[in-house]
Amino acid sequence: MFCIGFHKTGTTSLGAALETLGYRTIHGDGRGLWSGADEGRGLIAKIDAGDYALDTLPLFDAFLDNPYFSIWKQLAEANPEARFVLTLRSADKWIESCVRYYGDRRVRPMREWMFGQHADPASSPEATDKWLAAYNRHNAEILDYFADKPNFLCLNLTEDASWDQLCAFLDEPKPKQPFPFLNVTKK
């Protein structure tokens, strides 16, 4: 199961929901998430060399955040039976959240790999525009690619954070506890 939505689109909530359903999840490649975690440097090197058989793939059931959403097409072609979930939210709310969350934080290798000199969305209007363009392009390409495919679900957890769609899509029973709604960026 691959969550192919950008960061700040409910991926933390989706990850917690998948863990509740019994999935072994990995969310990004921060230090300590698995034995080879190095903030993505090793995964980036493999991807840049054209090798998409990432070391994390045999270790987990569900993959969220980067680099997985960046290589969604290669993952879809290599894993045609896998399920794909696009988490999204309005572009305006998304970029506001990114600017608040990432502004003044250390730029990690994955963000630099994705955005180069514009890795901090709060650093300039041009950086904000680059992030928005990448977000909109990413979502449009995914929606086009997966149109009418049964192994695809689009979720906007800011509008409907419930078990209904996710459990129906994964053919899982709905848990009794409320759907987790986590990691809300404070204003």
Side-chain angles (χ1 to χ4, degrees):
M1 213 290 311
F2 297 96
C3 173
I4 52 178
F6 263 42
H7 29 63
K8 306 309 296 169
T9 61
T11 58
T12 301
S13 297
L14 179 60
L18 292 169
E19 287 174 2
T20 298
L21 294 173
Y23 287 77
R24 295 171 301 151
T25 66
I26 185 165
H27 194 152
D29 192 42
R31 291 184 180 148
L33 292 179
W34 64 288
S35 63
D38 61 1
E39 294 191 322
R41 290 175 184 88
L43 298 178
I44 290 168
K46 284 188 89 161
I47 292 166
D48 285 347
D51 182 358
Y52 302 100
L54 303 182
D55 297 341
T56 51
L57 295 179
L59 303 175
F60 299 93
D61 305 312
F63 305 85
L64 302 98
D65 217 322
N66 227 351
Y68 311 102
F69 70 70
S70 292
I71 59 169
W72 65 269
K73 195 169 199 174
Q74 292 86 350
L75 292 170
E77 290 169 358
N79 303 280
E81 300 302 314
R83 296 184 192 215
F84 292 83
V85 175
L86 174 64
T87 51
L88 47 77
R89 65 194 291 193
S90 81
D92 291 341
K93 296 292 184 191
W94 175 78
I95 195 63
E96 287 173 17
S97 181
C98 289
V99 166
R100 280 193 311 271
Y101 184 80
Y102 291 112
D104 298 324
R105 285 182 183 248
R106 177 175 70 88
V107 173
R108 294 187 183 207
M110 283 285 179
R111 277 194 290 136
E112 186 173 11
W113 177 65
M114 286 181 62
F115 296 106
Q117 69 185 24
H118 303 293
D120 177 355
S123 65
S124 69
E126 184 181 14
T128 302
D129 290 346
K130 294 284 185 187
W131 277 59
L132 268 172
Y135 179 73
N136 289 324
R137 182 178 53 253
H138 176 83
N139 292 338
E141 288 174 0
I142 288 171
L143 290 169
D144 182 59
Y145 180 89
F146 283 102
D148 301 323
K149 288 190 172 68
N151 66 332
F152 175 72
L153 175 66
C154 184
L155 288 176
N156 184 332
L157 296 175
T158 62
E159 293 177 3
D160 181 22
S162 72
W163 291 108
D164 297 333
Q165 286 184 297
L166 182 63
C167 289
F169 176 66
L170 297 174
D171 196 27
E172 298 279 356
K174 289 195 298 188
K176 293 191 188 309
Q177 67 259 43
F179 191 91
F181 193 61
L182 308 172
N183 204 22
V184 178
T185 301
K186 308 288 187 270
K187 289 192 179 194

